[in-house]
Every structure is written in C-alpha cells, then in structure tokens.
Amino acid sequence: MFNMGTKILKKQNLYKLIVLFVFIVFCYITIKTPLAGDDWGYALNGSQGSPILMTIEFYKGWSGRFFSELWGMLIPKNKILWNIINPLLFTGIYVFLYKLTDVKKKPVLNALLILAFILSVDDNLRMETYTWIMGTTYIIPLLFSLVYFYIAERIVVTKEYDKNIKIFSYLSNVLLFIIGLMMENIAAVMIGSIAILIIYCFFNNKNALKYLVINLFFSSISFLIMRMSPGSAYRLMNDNAVWANLSVIEKIVGAYPNFLQMTFINNNYAIALFSIVLIGLAINKKNKYKYVSVIVSMFGIFTVFSFVLGSNMFNDCSSIYSMIFWPLYVINAFASIFLFIEDTYQRDKTIFLLIVAGAAAVVMLMSPIYGSRSAIYTVYYLIAVSVVILENIDIDYKYVSIVFLLILLFIIGDRTVEYINKYHLVGLRNNERMEVIKYYQEHPEDEEVWIPRFPVYSIHGADIEPGDTYHFETFKEYYGLPQDADKIHFYFVEDNY
C-alpha cells in the first residue's frame, strides 16, 4: 500500500528529517554561491545612502517593484544575512506546501514527492531563483502566496470562526500587499485567485466574504501602485517600445512558443512527476476516459524527455506538435481531476490550485520578458496539485507504491549528489577567482584582466558576456579593480578539481 513507508520511519519523524534536510541543502548551496550579476549593482547602490530613499528613486525611474527593490538595497551588501534568510525561505516553502496540501493518507510518499520536485527543477530556474540574491525576489512572494492560501483555506472552509481569525485576516492583507509590490505575475494571479474564492464563498460560505473582499482590495491596490509607477512606464517605453506597440493578439502569438518552452519543455522532471500522478489517478477508475488520460500523460513524459533520442521534433517549442499537444495536455489534466477525484472538496481544491499554476504562466503571455525564473510559481503550484492528487489515489498494490517510492528516492539521491558536486565546484572556483581578483587589485600595471568562468549551469550572471557594459562596470567597481572595464575578460577553463 502507499503508506507502507511508515514501517521504516515514523511519519512525523520523516517529515522533520526532510525539513531539516531542505534547510541543510539550501544552507550549503547558498553559502557556496557568491554575488553575481545584478547583485553587484544593488550591493553598490545599497551602500551609497538610505535604502528607503534609494528604493523611492528606483520606483520613480526604474521599477515599480517597491519591496523587490528594497530587498536589493538591503540584502546584497549583507551576504551573511542572505546565507541565513535563503535557507529559511525554502524551508518555509516546503513546510507550507506540505501543510497546504493537507497530507494525511500518504504522508511518506507525499513528503518525498515534494522534495523530489524541489530538487529537480530546471537548471536555469534553479540558477535564477535558488542561488541568486536578486532572484530571491521571486521566492519571497512564492512563500507568502502559499502562506496566504493556507490561511484562506481556514477562512473559507471553517464555519465557526475562532479568536485567531482577525489575526489571520490582518496577516493575509500584509502578505498580499507585499506580494503586489514585488512581482507582477504572481500579483496578478493573487487578484484572480481571490476573485474565484469570493465567487466560491458567495455560494458556500457568505461569512468569509468580508475577509476576502478586504483581501482583494489590498491585493489590487498594491498591484496598481506597482503597475502605475513612473519607473515601470519609463522602462517599458524605453526598453520594450516595439513590444508595447503590438496588439494583444500579436503579443500573445509572439510569446506563445516561449511560453511553451518555459512552462512545459524546460520543466521536464516536474511535468514527468505530474504525469505519473495523473496516470496513477486514472489507472484504477472504471471510466472509459481513463485510457485517454493515461495515453496523453504518457506522451507528456515521452515529450519532455525526447531530447535523449537526439531529435528536436517533439521538444521544439515552435513545432506544430508542441503548439497542439501542450494545450491538449492541459485539457486532459483538468478533465482527469474533474472525472477521477470523487471527493467534491478535494476536486475543487485541486482544480483551484491547477488554475493558480496555469495562470502564473498564462499571464506571462502579456509580458515582454519571460525568463526561466518567472516559471517558479507554475512549477511549485504544480507540486501542490500533484500532492493533492496523490492523496486521492486509491491503489492497493504494494509493488506500485514500492516502484514509485524507489523512483522518488532515486531522483532525490541523484539531484542531491549533483547539488553537492556542483556547488562544491562553485566554492572552489570562487576561491580561485578571489585570488585572481586580489592579484589584479595589487597589480594595476596589468591592463588586461582575465577572470576564470564558473562551471556551466551553476551560477546565474557570474560570467559577463561581451557587450554587457553595465555588468562589466559594476563587477569592476564591486571588486575594486583599477583596470578599465573593457579590459576585463571572462574565459573558459578546464575543470581539474
């Protein structure tokens, strides 16, 4: 049976061990990672004056993400502080994923499933969010959104309000206000999600409406403050003027291939694990649609790993196959949940979380920039969906649970070893780079500066490409190099560690 793992370890002890494991892993990779890319510029800006005044200036001339900019003024100049905060953030994310999904029936498998998802994200997404200080501005809203939905579930579902309801309500408003001034796509998703909850409560729990309406107000007002900032308008018209002048249809059509790439194709492990639980949900149902569901889900696994065949036909985001298959895959996911989860509340909750996951990706069709880091919300809410689905799978074949358990343990073990090896190399290379930088600081007569690159797919923005004037200048200033910025070169070296 699925909960056979409890014979090995007590459920609660395993959960605590995994929480500790998450904290230790993120401590290790955080400490090993140096500042990189935009971190240099923000560390310099944050050291020049009042962080609040600097943030206000950025709001006027660069970005409406007020709390993201404030983070940039405070944290990059205090790397030790980030070494503590970053592991705590990801530990909190793990805890609230576990709590939000309300794991009861299969605590062992679900605890391991969440961990496997977290460790197996796309390399670019990992580099841009897990170990990049300015990428943490995507992680904070993620944690806050999970906490909000955990609170909202208590407000929406609970009929008898206890003495803590006002505290929960106040906290939720604070969380939503911060989210709305940190990142556009999750801010927009929160507004839409609260609107859905309001509609749900209108028919099911009118007592909760007063709390949700206030939530909607705080979420909307903060989002408007961000979108209406002078900095955002200036940046849009100067950096993305061509995109801004496109029609809505032209924007969507132009962004669609990249949307497929960032949402589905790049996140191969996430899509594969999600597909596996969909197959598990369908396989023992007495419903003719289950065969369609299983086939589509299996094609999902095949498609995201088809690159191992050496062919780009299936995982090419611009191919007709991709453009047709992935919408069908999404339709199949919603249909499977609707048809195969029998408990009404569990079904509604799963569909809601899948809408959140999908909306976080869909809103990016209206953005001029869609990087890997923007997919973090889709991936993590897909984790929540997968866990709730697994909770609703009823298969009494112990060998199935053993196979799935072994798959999860293999993924966790494989990714953990890769993390340790990769960031061990990062630490060694960083020590080497600091020695090289120290040499050039002491030898201003050497006009040409040669800096060794970090291992590939390890650190986001640590190696600067020709033509990136801003980062060459901030790198030089941050490390106090006397040479001209245009004399700094980043070169590939063969790793001999």
Side-chain angles (χ1 to χ4, degrees):
M1 295 178 67
F2 268 114
N3 54 3
M4 50 76 66
T6 55
K7 295 178 181 178
I8 304 172
L9 286 170
K10 291 183 178 179
K11 303 170 188 178
Q12 197 61 28
N13 287 343
L14 177 66
Y15 169 69
K16 291 177 181 178
L17 284 173
I18 294 179
V19 169
L20 178 62
F21 178 80
V22 171
F23 181 77
I24 292 173
V25 168
F26 278 92
C27 273
Y28 181 78
I29 66 177
T30 302
I31 292 170
K32 291 290 184 180
T33 305
L35 272 68
D38 290 348
D39 296 344
W40 303 320
Y42 278 98
L44 294 169
N45 287 325
S47 301
Q48 291 176 359
S50 167
I52 297 292
L53 293 178
M54 289 293 295
T55 301
I56 292 172
E57 289 301 313
F58 269 58
Y59 180 84
K60 293 178 180 179
W62 176 250
S63 168
R65 300 172 180 174
F66 184 86
F67 289 112
S68 292
E69 301 302 331
L70 182 60
W71 168 271
M73 301 304 166
L74 292 171
I75 305 302
K77 64 178 182 179
N78 296 299
K79 172 65 163 54
I80 294 177
L81 186 58
W82 184 64
N83 290 347
I84 300 170
I85 294 175
N86 197 47
L88 289 175
L89 287 172
F90 279 95
T91 303
I93 286 169
Y94 180 88
V95 169
F96 276 95
L97 273 173
Y98 191 87
K99 290 183 175 295
L100 176 63
T101 50
D102 196 22
V103 173
K104 291 178 181 177
K105 296 179 182 178
K106 307 173 185 70
V108 173
L109 285 179
N110 279 318
L112 293 174
L113 179 62
I114 297 172
L115 181 59
F117 260 107
I118 290 175
L119 294 178
S120 60
V121 297
D122 171 56
D123 281 331
N124 289 301
L125 190 152
R126 169 184 53 78
M127 292 189 295
E128 294 179 15
T129 56
Y130 283 26
T131 54
W132 186 37
I133 295 181
M134 290 311 298
T136 309
T137 58
Y138 290 77
I139 297 303
I140 295 171
L142 171 60
L143 173 59
F144 285 4
S145 68
L146 290 169
V147 176
Y148 170 75
F149 285 127
Y150 176 76
I151 292 173
E153 186 173 21
R154 262 103 222 115
I155 294 175
V156 169
V157 177
T158 303
K159 304 297 182 180
E160 299 293 332
Y161 297 105
D162 60 28
K163 61 182 180 180
N164 295 320
I165 195 68
K166 289 187 177 180
I167 297 175
F168 285 163
S169 181
Y170 295 147
L171 176 59
S172 65
N173 291 328
V174 172
L175 295 175
L176 290 168
F177 190 77
I178 294 174
I179 292 171
L181 280 165
M182 286 202 81
M183 203 55 58
E184 290 86 348
N185 62 331
I186 188 62
V189 169
M190 298 308 291
I191 294 172
S193 301
I194 297 169
I196 293 174
L197 291 176
I198 288 174
I199 295 171
Y200 177 85
C201 286
F202 181 81
F203 294 102
N204 295 279
N205 184 9
K206 288 185 172 60
N207 290 328
L209 287 175
K210 58 184 177 181
Y211 299 104
L212 294 174
V213 169
I214 296 173
N215 286 167
L216 183 62
F217 171 79
F218 275 93
S219 189
S220 300
I221 198 69
S222 62
F223 179 73
L224 288 174
I225 292 171
M226 175 169 60
R227 293 303 302 149
M228 295 174 66
S229 70
S232 294
Y234 174 83
R235 189 176 176 186
L236 176 64
M237 296 313 300
N238 281 270
D239 294 353
N240 302 285
V242 174
W243 180 88
N245 290 321
L246 296 175
S247 68
V248 173
I249 298 299
E250 288 173 326
K251 290 174 180 176
I252 293 175
V253 170
Y256 186 59
N258 193 48
F259 161 80
L260 297 178
Q261 185 75 41
M262 297 299 175
T263 307
F264 302 102
I265 298 171
N266 282 1
N267 298 302
N268 47 13
Y269 276 95
I271 295 299
L273 287 170
F274 179 57
S275 299
I276 289 172
V277 295
L278 282 178
I279 292 170
L281 180 65
I283 203 166
N284 69 333
K285 298 296 179 179
K286 295 179 180 180
N287 187 308
K288 293 181 180 180
Y289 179 75
K290 72 176 183 178
Y291 301 107
V292 177
S293 178
V294 170
I295 291 171
V296 174
S297 298
M298 290 180 68
F299 261 95
I301 299 172
F302 167 77
T303 301
V304 292
F305 285 111
S306 62
F307 63 88
V308 301
L309 302 176
S311 171
N312 201 37
M313 182 177 121
F314 295 102
N315 60 359
D316 179 1
C317 63
S318 299
S319 69
I320 298 297
Y321 173 83
S322 291
M323 292 187 178
I324 295 175
F325 173 74
W326 289 114
L328 293 176
Y329 181 87
V330 172
I331 294 171
N332 173 71
F334 276 104
S336 298
I337 293 168
F338 182 79
L339 292 173
F340 302 143
I341 295 182
E342 297 173 358
D343 182 277
T344 303
Y345 178 71
Q346 290 289 309
R347 183 183 65 220
D348 292 347
K349 179 177 179 178
T350 311
I351 290 175
F352 175 79
L353 291 172
L354 187 56
I355 289 173
V356 173
V362 170
V363 296
M364 294 306 297
L365 289 171
M366 294 302 297
S367 172
I369 302 172
Y370 190 175
S372 295
R373 54 188 174 271
S374 297
I376 188 75
Y377 308 112
T378 298
V379 171
Y380 270 72
Y381 276 97
L382 202 60
I383 299 175
V385 174
S386 301
V387 172
V388 179
I389 291 175
L390 185 55
E391 276 289 282
N392 286 273
I393 295 176
D394 184 21
I395 300 178
D396 292 327
Y397 301 106
K398 68 176 182 178
Y399 295 111
V400 174
S401 62
I402 291 173
V403 170
F404 190 48
L405 178 66
L406 292 175
I407 290 173
L408 293 177
L409 290 175
F410 173 79
I411 292 173
I412 292 168
D414 177 70
R415 307 313 287 177
T416 301
V417 170
E418 181 175 345
Y419 275 45
I420 292 172
N421 291 338
K422 189 180 293 289
Y423 287 94
H424 174 67
L425 292 179
V426 166
L428 293 175
R429 180 56 49 79
N430 187 52
N431 292 337
E432 180 184 339
R433 280 176 68 148
M434 294 310 299
E435 289 296 321
V436 171
I437 289 170
K438 182 179 179 182
Y439 169 84
Y440 286 115
Q441 289 171 339
E442 297 172 350
H443 293 81
E445 69 278 6
D446 290 354
E447 296 183 359
E448 300 286 334
V449 176
W450 295 89
I451 306 294
R453 289 175 176 264
F454 278 98
V456 295
Y457 290 111
S458 61
I459 305 298
H460 174 71
D463 304 320
I464 311 170
E465 305 305 329
D468 190 351
T469 304
Y470 170 75
H471 286 115
F472 273 112
E473 290 289 349
T474 55
F475 178 85
K476 171 196 169 183
E477 186 176 354
Y478 179 77
Y479 286 108
L481 294 172
Q483 293 83 357
D484 293 334
D486 60 1
K487 299 294 184 181
I488 299 175
H489 310 282
F490 288 80
Y491 69 96
F492 290 98
V493 295
E494 182 177 349
D495 291 319
N496 296 315
Y497 303 123

